[in-house]
Amino acid sequence: MSTITTLEELFIEQLQDLHSAETQLINALPVMAKAAHAPALKAGFEEHLEQTKEHAVRLEQILEELGEKVTGKKCKAMEGLIKEGKGTISEKASPEVKDVALIAAAQCVEHHEIAGYGCARTYAKILGHTEAAKTLHTTLDEEAATDKKLTIIAEKLNLLPQEEAALKN
């Protein structure tokens, strides 16, 4: 285990962690899309898969420009979030309820990424990595937009009448 002694080292580790997270998500999103019932949710997961691939490429470019390797430790947080998402997929529930649960799992992932990209962008600014900060800000905006799209889809899902009544109470 290495010791981090500078903000630059923390920044590099954060970028590598985000890359690990994005790589894991690239493998998980097709499974989530397949498990989704609502067409809008399936499409949202498929769209975010393409975006996630771009996020990974951006991180690779930043790390390459900094002269750093792409790989680091596996992102344990993303590993856990994906494991929870897989648990959601295997739950016995109506398709509508499962979709809502998938959205909740996906939003947990998005919130983790938003926090990670927000920190990395701030570190880049402080360290004077202006272009990296701009790139990370773009990705941060895209992650936040995905989170908002998931909320909109959740609000529009057609639940069974008894479930709608329960949500209103």
Side-chain angles (χ1 to χ4, degrees):
M1 179 185 259
S2 62
T3 302
I4 297 173
T5 58
T6 68
L7 184 58
E8 184 76 25
E9 290 171 348
L10 180 62
F11 176 54
I12 299 305
E13 185 174 88
Q14 182 69 33
L15 294 173
Q16 292 168 336
D17 188 73
L18 285 165
H19 186 268
S20 171
E22 296 290 21
T23 302
Q24 291 178 62
L25 191 55
I26 287 167
N27 294 323
L29 280 167
V31 177
M32 293 176 76
K34 186 177 179 185
H37 173 72
L41 185 56
K42 279 185 184 293
F45 285 147
E46 290 165 356
E47 178 184 325
H48 194 57
L49 172 61
E50 295 311 309
Q51 199 175 55
T52 300
K53 290 176 183 177
E54 178 62 28
H55 296 169
V57 169
R58 288 179 192 161
L59 289 164
E60 291 164 10
Q61 290 170 340
I62 292 169
L63 285 160
E64 185 177 299
E65 288 169 10
L66 295 170
E68 297 291 338
K69 62 181 183 170
V70 174
T71 57
K73 294 183 273 184
K74 186 172 189 177
C75 178
K76 297 291 187 183
M78 185 60 74
E79 183 178 41
L81 291 169
I82 289 171
K83 185 177 179 180
E84 283 189 19
K86 285 180 180 177
T88 297
I89 291 169
S90 65
E91 289 285 332
K92 291 187 181 213
S94 70
E96 296 82 6
V97 171
K98 189 170 280 194
D99 279 355
V100 172
L102 284 169
I103 289 170
Q107 285 189 297
C108 287
V109 166
E110 291 309 308
H111 291 189
H112 172 71
E113 290 181 312
I114 289 166
Y117 279 105
C119 291
R121 183 223 32 219
T122 300
Y123 302 157
K125 282 183 180 180
I126 292 168
L127 293 165
H129 299 304
T130 309
E131 288 306 310
K134 287 179 188 175
T135 300
L136 292 165
H137 187 82
T138 298
T139 303
L140 178 61
D141 286 347
E142 290 170 357
E143 298 292 7
T146 296
D147 182 52
K148 287 178 184 168
K149 287 177 189 175
L150 287 166
T151 297
I152 290 166
I153 293 169
E155 291 171 345
K156 292 181 178 181
L157 283 179
N158 294 321
L159 298 176
L160 300 173
Q162 68 269 24
E163 292 163 341
E164 286 182 358
L167 288 175
K168 289 178 184 174
N169 292 333

